[in-house]
Amino acid sequence: MMHLPKVKSRIYFDDTDAAGVVYHGRYLKIFERARTDQFAEIGFDHTKHFVETGECFVIANIGITYKHPVKIADIVDIETFVKDIGSARVNIRQNMQLNGKTVTEMDVILVWVDASGRPKKLPHDISEMMKKLKVG
């Protein structure tokens, strides 16, 4: 089984609210960037694929659990796991850790769509890559 590499991310001033705590909406950006970087590191360039084919993943559903606040200047690790794969969708879990402790979890359902935005069966190569990443 292949694993996605962990990504380190520094929390910057523009990620936080007036109290210096990460604003809840910024977690989406932090997780999105980590997931994009992780997929690129294993050979899946989402942007390149979109430019070449017009097909891409879109987010169909997101659920976030905030367990502990993250603050300005913290350096977090983000882990990404493929939980389940369907013919046109991938369920992913992302964990944000601070000093080895999970502080935020996000479950996201990605759906593969064609250039007009309609769901489409995952291309074989991407489906096989996701299957290799599946945990459990």
Side-chain angles (χ1 to χ4, degrees):
M1 178 189 317
M2 189 178 356
H3 293 280
L4 286 166
K6 280 187 183 181
V7 171
K8 286 197 177 297
S9 182
R10 179 179 300 278
I11 303 303
Y12 295 97
F13 179 78
D14 66 339
D15 294 322
T16 63
D17 60 18
V21 175
V22 174
Y23 172 68
H24 70 276
R26 296 300 273 199
Y27 285 91
L28 296 174
K29 175 181 157 185
I30 295 165
F31 279 124
E32 174 76 24
R33 286 182 175 178
R35 189 171 60 250
T36 299
D37 289 345
Q38 288 165 319
F39 282 159
E41 283 191 47
I42 62 163
F44 175 54
D45 186 334
H46 193 245
T47 304
K48 180 181 176 191
H49 195 89
F50 176 72
V51 168
E52 292 174 355
T53 68
E55 299 174 351
C56 64
F57 279 120
V58 295
I59 294 175
N61 193 324
I62 289 180
I64 299 179
T65 302
Y66 305 100
K67 295 181 172 195
H68 189 272
V70 179
K71 300 178 181 176
I72 191 169
D74 283 345
I75 297 175
V76 296
D77 290 311
I78 299 171
E79 295 180 310
T80 301
F81 307 96
V82 174
K83 291 173 51 179
D84 189 39
I85 304 154
S87 63
R89 60 139 183 84
V90 179
N91 294 5
I92 291 176
R93 158 70 55 95
Q94 289 185 272
N95 295 323
M96 180 180 291
Q97 298 176 342
L98 179 63
N99 300 321
K101 177 182 172 186
T102 298
V103 293
T104 308
E105 296 174 329
M106 183 172 84
D107 289 306
V108 59
I109 298 175
L110 302 173
V111 175
W112 191 256
V113 297
D114 62 19
S116 65
R118 289 187 300 263
K120 180 180 178 179
K121 187 175 179 179
L122 282 165
H124 180 74
D125 59 332
I126 296 171
S127 178
E128 289 302 307
M129 182 181 294
M130 294 299 142
K131 285 176 185 174
K132 288 178 184 173
L133 296 170
K134 188 169 185 256
V135 174

